[in-house]
């Protein structure tokens, strides 16, 4: 009987650790620096905090992704791709990038070069 209680407590702790862990991983990175990458090439790189509202069109083999920046956030507004996964992913809010596999497109936060600059400077 006592062992069962400990097992229950242990499961609870593990569950809690898992939840906390996933929150930490999915938290927005400590940067507003975002880049749009296609086939491993950085097409656009900007600071969302200082970027004006705009729509950027990126083409791949005649297929277009329309990427919108609004209120210092970024998402895929429209896309010609068949799966529409990139559109359905919504706003970029975490370290997990927005990916459009058919159009070889990735939108992601770039890891904080700020801290490195601080050390170097
Ligand atoms: Zn897509």
């Amino acid at each position: 009987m006592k062992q069962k209680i400990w097992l229950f407590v242990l499961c609870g702790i593990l569950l809690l650790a898992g939840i906390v862990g996933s929150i930490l991983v999915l938290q927005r990175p400590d940067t507003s620096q975002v880049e749009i990458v296609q086939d491993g090439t950085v097409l656009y790189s900007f600071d969302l905090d200082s970027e004006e509202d705009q729509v950027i069109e990126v083409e791949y083999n005649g297929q277009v992704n329309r990427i919108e920046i609004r209120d210092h956030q970024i998402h895929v507004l429209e896309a010609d791709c068949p799966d529409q996964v990139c559109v359905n992913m919504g706003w970029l809010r975490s370290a997990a990038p927005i990916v459009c596999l058919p159009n070889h497109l990735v939108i992601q936060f770039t890891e904080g070069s700020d801290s490195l600059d601080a050390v170097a400077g």
Side-chain angles (χ1 to χ4, degrees):
M1 191 63 199
K2 211 174 180 182
Q3 276 183 329
K4 274 190 179 175
I5 292 172
W6 276 111
L7 199 67
F8 183 74
V9 170
L10 191 70
C11 284
I13 292 171
L14 285 177
L15 191 71
L16 204 68
I19 292 169
V20 171
S22 46
I23 288 172
L24 285 177
V25 167
L26 290 176
Q27 217 173 25
R28 180 177 155 155
D30 191 20
T31 175
S32 56
Q33 204 70 35
V34 166
E35 60 186 18
I36 299 173
V37 182
Q38 189 179 64
D39 266 341
T41 307
V42 178
L43 297 182
Y44 298 94
S45 177
F46 35 64
D47 189 343
L48 279 184
D49 281 351
S50 58
E51 204 66 23
E52 300 281 314
D53 292 2
Q54 60 186 286
V55 174
I56 299 165
E57 289 195 3
V58 177
E59 195 191 312
Y60 183 83
N61 281 353
Q63 309 238 68
V64 175
N65 288 72
R66 301 188 74 202
I67 299 156
E68 183 186 34
I69 297 173
R70 179 152 47 91
D71 297 333
H72 308 296
Q73 290 184 290
I74 188 165
H75 75 144
V76 179
L77 187 64
E78 289 172 1
D80 287 340
C81 61
D83 58 18
Q84 298 289 299
V85 168
C86 52
V87 178
N88 292 328
M89 286 177 97
W91 299 96
L92 181 66
R93 287 212 169 90
S94 70
I98 296 174
V99 179
C100 184
L101 282 179
N103 293 0
H104 296 211
L105 191 77
V106 178
I107 304 167
Q108 63 190 4
F109 284 111
T110 59
E111 286 309 319
S113 55
D114 289 359
S115 52
L116 285 175
D117 287 349
V119 171

